[in-house]
Amino acid sequence: DAGITQSPRHKVTETGTPVTLRCHQTENHRYMYWYRQDPGHGLRLIHYSYGVKDTDKGEVSDGYSVSRSKTEDFLLTLESATSSQTSVYFCAISDSRTSGSETQYFGPGTRLLVL
Amino acid sequence: QQQVKQSPQSLIVQKGGISIINCAYENTAFDYFPWYQQFPGKGPALLIAIRPDVSEKKEGRFTISFNKSAKQFSLHIMDSQPGDSATYFCAGHSGGSNYKLTFGKGTLLTVNP
């Protein structure tokens, strides 16, 4: 998985609680992304980062926030988890400095269940 | 909304047959079109990709056909094998400074032995 780890890999939580998912990379890639994957919807971009402390919203950002204080770590926070946020969350990275840099490499995913 | 429409949602093919998955896009600014393959419980992985100045790209049994005027591209899997059974996603890349991918909704391919 291209030097990408996600933690936790599985989480069960209750509605209304905050949840933080972590993505860690060892590739020193500039860009990092958070997606959610749901049946019938494919992969949808939540937030992305183009550098330390530089982040922007994706198409499904409501209810989520992100932070990137170091190149290697990108955190996704569900401020108050809802059942609609039950999903599989994937982190991805890409490197703007190399040829073919459009390629995104995905982590193994975090399966989140909100009860 | 910059969309990528993918079809079919699911596909069943016999071993040795040809699997064909189609995608259509709207954003003419897309500059790169990758296909990702995803096995159950795993993250998507890049399978093959094409740029819009090329009409076809082949890597082993996998071929992308690209029609710029029709804004369509397709993945062909020749001599399909049970090990090809997976979900396939097409995507379009937004260039400039955003480096974002817009994904199709995926196709679940099942190759029967």
Side-chain angles (χ1 to χ4, degrees), chain A residues 37 43 90, chain B residues 36-45 85-89:
Chain A
Q37 184 174 25
L43 291 154
F90 286 100
Chain B
Y36 281 80
Q37 180 187 55
Q38 184 181 29
F39 294 106
K42 303 292 186 181
S85 297
T87 299
Y88 293 81
F89 294 96

Side-chain angles (χ1 to χ4, degrees), chain A residues 44-55:
Chain A
R44 293 182 291 175
L45 182 65
I46 305 171
H47 282 279
Y48 68 103
S49 169
Y50 45 96
V52 173
K53 296 186 180 180
D54 292 322
T55 64

Side-chain angles (χ1 to χ4, degrees), chain A residues 55-113:
Chain A
T55 64
D56 204 351
K57 297 179 180 180
E59 62 177 301
V60 290
S61 60
D62 287 349
Y64 301 94
S65 63
V66 290
S67 65
R68 190 170 179 199
S69 59
K70 297 184 291 184
T71 299
E72 58 267 35
D73 289 326
F74 193 32
L75 303 181
L76 175 70
T77 297
L78 288 64
E79 293 141 10
S80 178
T82 67
S83 58
S84 65
Q85 293 176 311
T86 291
S87 187
V88 181
Y89 291 86
F90 286 100
C91 174
I93 64 174
S94 70
D95 188 357
S96 62
R97 296 168 296 179
T98 61
S99 176
S101 58
E102 302 90 342
T103 299
Q104 291 185 17
Y105 302 93
F106 284 79
T110 293
R111 189 172 296 272
L112 176 67
L113 174 61

Side-chain angles (χ1 to χ4, degrees), chain B residues 9-113:
Chain B
Q9 277 189 301
S10 61
L11 179 62
I12 300 174
V13 174
Q14 292 298 117
K15 179 181 176 181
I18 302 174
S19 304
I20 301 174
I21 304 171
N22 300 299
C23 286
Y25 64 97
E26 298 176 354
N27 185 357
T28 55
F30 284 157
D31 59 1
Y32 173 77
F33 299 87
W35 285 89
Y36 281 80
Q37 180 187 55
Q38 184 181 29
F39 294 106
K42 303 292 186 181
L46 179 69
L47 180 64
I48 187 173
I50 197 167
R51 299 189 186 277
D53 55 347
V54 177
S55 61
E56 184 176 283
K57 183 173 182 180
K58 183 176 181 179
E59 291 184 0
R61 296 183 294 108
F62 301 91
T63 299
I64 301 177
S65 297
F66 188 84
N67 185 330
K68 188 174 182 178
S69 61
K71 294 188 286 185
Q72 295 176 346
F73 59 111
S74 59
L75 176 69
H76 296 238
I77 306 174
M78 309 300 289
D79 187 27
S80 298
Q81 299 297 312
D84 297 330
S85 297
T87 299
Y88 293 81
F89 294 96
C90 62
H93 175 263
S94 303
S97 60
N98 290 333
Y99 283 80
K100 292 193 292 184
L101 288 175
T102 301
F103 285 88
K105 293 185 177 182
T107 296
L108 177 61
L109 172 65
T110 302
V111 182
N112 289 328

